[in-house]
Amino acid sequence: MNKVIEVQKLSISSSQGCIVEELSLSLEWGKPVTILGETGSGKSLLAQAIMGALPRGLEAKGEIRLLGKTVECKADIEELWGREVAMLPQEPWLSLDPIMPASKQISLVKRLVSLLNKPKSESIAIDSLARFGLEGSEGKVPSQLSGGMAQRLAYLCATSAGGRVLIADEPTKGLDSSRKQQLIQLLKEHSNKGALLTITHDVEVAKALGGEILVMKQGKVLETGCCESVLNAPKSEYARSLISARNLDHQRGDLLPNHKVLLELKGVEKSRGGKTLFSNVDLSLREGEVLGLVGDSGAGKSSLADVVLGLVQSDKGSVVHHQVLTRPKMLKLYQDPPASFCQSITLAKNLEDLCKLHQLDRKDIPRLMSELSLNSELLNRKPDSISGGELQRFAILRVLLMKPKVLVADEPTSRLDPIVAGSTIQLLLEQTSRINCAVVFISHDLELVKQVSHKVVKISDYVANHSSELSSPLVTV
Ligand SMILES: Nc1ncnc2c1ncn2[C@@H]1O[C@H](COP(=O)(O)OP(=O)(O)OP(=O)(O)O)[C@@H](O)[C@H]1O
Ligand SMILES: [Mg+2]
């Protein structure tokens, strides 16, 4: 049997209508397939349908065969989950157990799915964490890990039971470039030894994986073909713009002499788990300023930003406010968008509660939704019933409604395709500049950070030895 996955004339619909139009695809051993596409185009739902795990209320028509078994619901293939077919879902926030330590999340898979004994499972879990640069994180729960670390832990959990078939939804988001290369290498090994279906918005990842590519937009497959031909000579207009999109022509607002200092960090130091993340940090943040923060995955970028916001206490030094900065005026765009929303109520109710609590102008909601290309129908759904990229844009809408004075934007476009990411970053820059909001912009994309920021700070410069804000060429005040 050569075909691992065979999808014939599959369509996915809800009571509101068709979400994914009829499509067919097949995956063979050793021949990776990658789905590139627009945010909200149906990529994750396609993966969930293949796993027999479509959310309630959605219906798949057509035929899906996984390792020769027909999939209509999860009961059909549940015994293959983990052992034969592994799925890395898009959101680590939702796939990891929030109150279970990292090493236990892996060792439990080893015990319950691979049926290994406790000591063996625990020692494998510790080794796997170390291989992934997560030593020292054995006892940490997901909220104590950085976004990139949680992403790596989710990958380890998904693959721990040894499933030869891997379906990976945005596996490299939130990772710095060396971790990304490491994961790409692992995905390739997985593909060589088994079968790999990857969903990504990262053209570099698609290129590195090779094999077959499907390009999706608005629930349709626009083109398919081998990696070289799709990436080098895309046929559809959309694929051409997606592949060539490298949005590095952002306009940030000017920093003017009348932009006053909002706050200063003086000699700030923070350690976690016995490791000094940064020390002797002296920084100032002015109105309308964009401060770029770069560093490896897990280096402490989010921790430094949390110190700026007063969410985390520094061990040494102080944060001095030069203006009145109350909590609702100091906001954070969380790296994992589901972290910002109450999951049990609709998005409309989430926003309504926010407006009521802070006496916000509801008229801004439709304007921002249209600027962020969000369909008004999404308001009637709960946060887990829209796509990852749609939820990320709702998180941006939510903070913009609040008109903050200081905003930490932690990988704010990690769930977006490059075209939508470009327009979203531009919107974020324009709207924050208009209200003189200072932005701490965190990203692994150094080129992007340099482009959008007035000043760039590299976290590794604050480890052990003090050096001030980076000198040229990174400081672009
Ligand atoms: N449970 C659900 N009920 C109804 N509609 C849904 C549900 N989940 C997702 N959708 C809608 O289906 C469409 C496709 O969603 P999907 O999550 O598959 O997109 P995606 O291509 O993975 O996007 P992204 O790149 O943003 O993750 C979106 O418009 C989304 O709003
Ligand atoms: Mg998705």
Side-chain angles (χ1 to χ4, degrees):
M1 183 186 58
N2 231 357
K3 295 258 169 42
V4 180
I5 296 174
E6 283 178 272
V7 171
Q8 290 289 340
K9 295 189 173 175
L10 172 77
S11 62
I12 301 172
S13 50
S14 70
S15 57
Q16 310 290 311
C18 179
I19 298 178
V20 175
E21 292 186 20
E22 226 176 71
L23 63 83
S24 299
L25 76 87
S26 69
L27 177 73
E28 294 179 20
W29 297 111
K31 295 186 179 165
V33 172
T34 305
I35 304 177
L36 268 177
E38 192 184 36
T39 158
S41 59
K43 306 180 296 294
S44 297
L45 289 181
L46 171 60
Q48 287 163 39
I50 293 170
M51 291 298 283
L54 268 185
R56 227 180 304 151
L58 300 188
E59 192 196 359
K61 284 206 181 102
E63 196 189 2
I64 304 171
R65 289 180 69 75
L66 182 52
L67 292 171
K69 291 195 172 214
T70 301
V71 183
E72 272 169 13
C73 62
K74 70 178 185 188
D76 295 331
I77 54 153
E78 220 168 358
E79 89 264 22
L80 301 179
W81 282 7
R83 293 183 186 91
E84 289 290 335
V85 188
M87 164 100 180
L88 173 65
Q90 188 169 7
E91 294 301 338
W93 183 265
L94 301 176
S95 68
L96 294 170
D97 186 324
I99 55 169
M100 191 185 285
S103 72
K104 191 159 182 204
Q105 307 222 20
I106 303 171
S107 66
L108 265 192
V109 178
K110 288 281 171 204
R111 280 175 62 198
L112 301 179
V113 189
S114 308
L115 305 178
L116 297 185
N117 64 29
K118 195 168 177 224
K120 183 91 186 138
S121 305
E122 284 173 357
S123 92
I124 292 179
I126 289 167
D127 286 352
S128 319
L129 287 170
R131 249 189 321 119
F132 263 59
L134 292 169
E135 60 279 342
S137 299
E138 293 80 4
K140 291 184 179 167
V141 297
S143 61
Q144 294 171 318
L145 301 175
S146 76
M149 290 160 94
Q151 177 67 40
R152 280 177 273 157
L153 176 61
Y155 177 85
L156 282 172
C157 290
T159 53
S160 275
R164 287 178 305 154
V165 184
L166 175 62
I167 301 179
D169 196 349
E170 301 282 4
T172 57
K173 64 181 173 301
L175 302 183
D176 60 70
S177 95
S178 60
R179 295 274 172 224
K180 184 160 108 178
Q181 295 312 323
Q182 183 192 18
L183 196 50
I184 290 174
Q185 202 45 45
L186 285 168
L187 291 170
K188 283 168 108 169
E189 283 166 22
H190 209 111
S191 173
N192 290 339
K193 284 191 268 167
L196 175 72
L197 175 65
T198 310
I199 294 168
T200 184
H201 57 244
D202 190 329
V203 177
E204 186 196 332
V205 174
K207 192 172 180 180
L209 293 175
E212 187 91 0
I213 290 187
L214 271 84
V215 180
M216 285 185 75
K217 183 175 195 281
Q218 288 177 346
K220 282 194 210 101
V221 173
L222 294 187
E223 68 179 273
T224 60
C226 75
C227 175
E228 291 76 27
S229 64
V230 173
L231 295 185
N232 297 332
K235 290 191 202 81
S236 62
E237 183 65 38
Y238 175 71
R240 258 197 299 282
S241 43
L242 184 74
I243 289 158
S244 61
R246 180 75 180 109
N247 293 284
L248 286 177
D249 52 0
H250 298 295
Q251 307 293 316
R252 59 178 145 76
D254 289 330
L255 204 51
L256 304 172
N258 63 346
H259 283 142
K260 299 193 193 77
V261 174
L262 285 164
L263 57 82
E264 268 182 290
L265 268 60
K266 292 187 173 174
V268 163
E269 177 172 323
K270 182 77 198 165
S271 300
R272 277 188 158 157
K275 181 178 152 207
T276 302
L277 295 174
F278 43 81
S279 57
N280 294 313
V281 180
D282 295 327
L283 274 180
S284 64
L285 200 55
R286 287 166 60 189
E287 292 170 334
E289 183 172 29
V290 182
L291 169 76
L293 203 50
V294 295
D296 289 347
S297 169
K301 302 182 294 298
S302 302
S303 302
L304 180 55
D306 284 348
V307 170
V308 170
L309 293 179
L311 296 173
V312 161
Q313 205 63 38
S314 62
D315 302 335
K316 278 191 198 159
S318 56
V319 181
V320 181
H321 288 186
H322 290 264
Q323 299 188 27
V324 179
L325 294 168
T326 52
R327 187 49 55 73
K329 290 288 168 198
M330 299 181 73
L331 294 179
K332 176 169 168 174
L333 266 174
Y334 282 83
Q335 192 167 358
D336 285 327
S340 321
F341 293 92
C342 172
Q343 301 290 324
S344 58
I345 53 174
T346 62
L347 286 151
K349 181 84 175 112
N350 263 284
L351 294 178
E352 178 57 28
D353 287 354
L354 188 80
C355 290
K356 245 193 224 157
L357 186 65
H358 298 286
Q359 285 104 47
L360 305 176
D361 191 352
R362 290 161 179 76
K363 284 205 294 296
D364 287 340
I365 297 176
R367 174 184 58 82
L368 282 166
M369 285 190 66
S370 130
E371 286 172 339
L372 288 160
S373 308
L374 290 167
N375 189 322
S376 60
E377 194 260 320
L378 299 176
L379 286 170
N380 303 324
R381 301 210 212 123
K382 292 183 182 165
D384 65 355
S385 297
I386 66 173
S387 84
E390 288 165 342
L391 192 61
Q392 189 157 48
R393 280 172 285 157
F394 266 108
I396 292 173
L397 180 147
R398 208 171 173 274
V399 293
L400 291 178
L401 269 182
M402 297 277 289
K403 300 197 170 57
K405 283 191 156 181
V406 179
L407 173 66
V408 169
D410 198 346
E411 301 276 1
T413 56
S414 56
R415 269 66 172 174
L416 303 180
D417 66 72
I419 298 174
V420 176
S423 58
T424 304
I425 287 172
Q426 190 53 44
L427 182 83
L428 192 63
L429 292 175
E430 278 167 17
Q431 309 242 339
T432 48
S433 161
R434 198 174 306 150
I435 55 173
N436 282 341
C437 167
V439 179
V440 179
F441 191 94
I442 303 177
S443 172
H444 290 298
D445 186 339
L446 184 57
E447 289 308 308
L448 173 66
V449 174
K450 281 202 265 183
Q451 237 255 330
V452 303
S453 309
H454 298 100
K455 181 164 77 192
V456 180
V457 164
K458 202 169 165 191
I459 202 108
S460 55
D461 285 0
Y462 291 101
V463 181
N465 297 316
H466 168 61
S467 72
S468 59
E469 293 159 10
L470 280 185
S471 54
S472 187
L474 286 183
V475 175
T476 51
V477 186

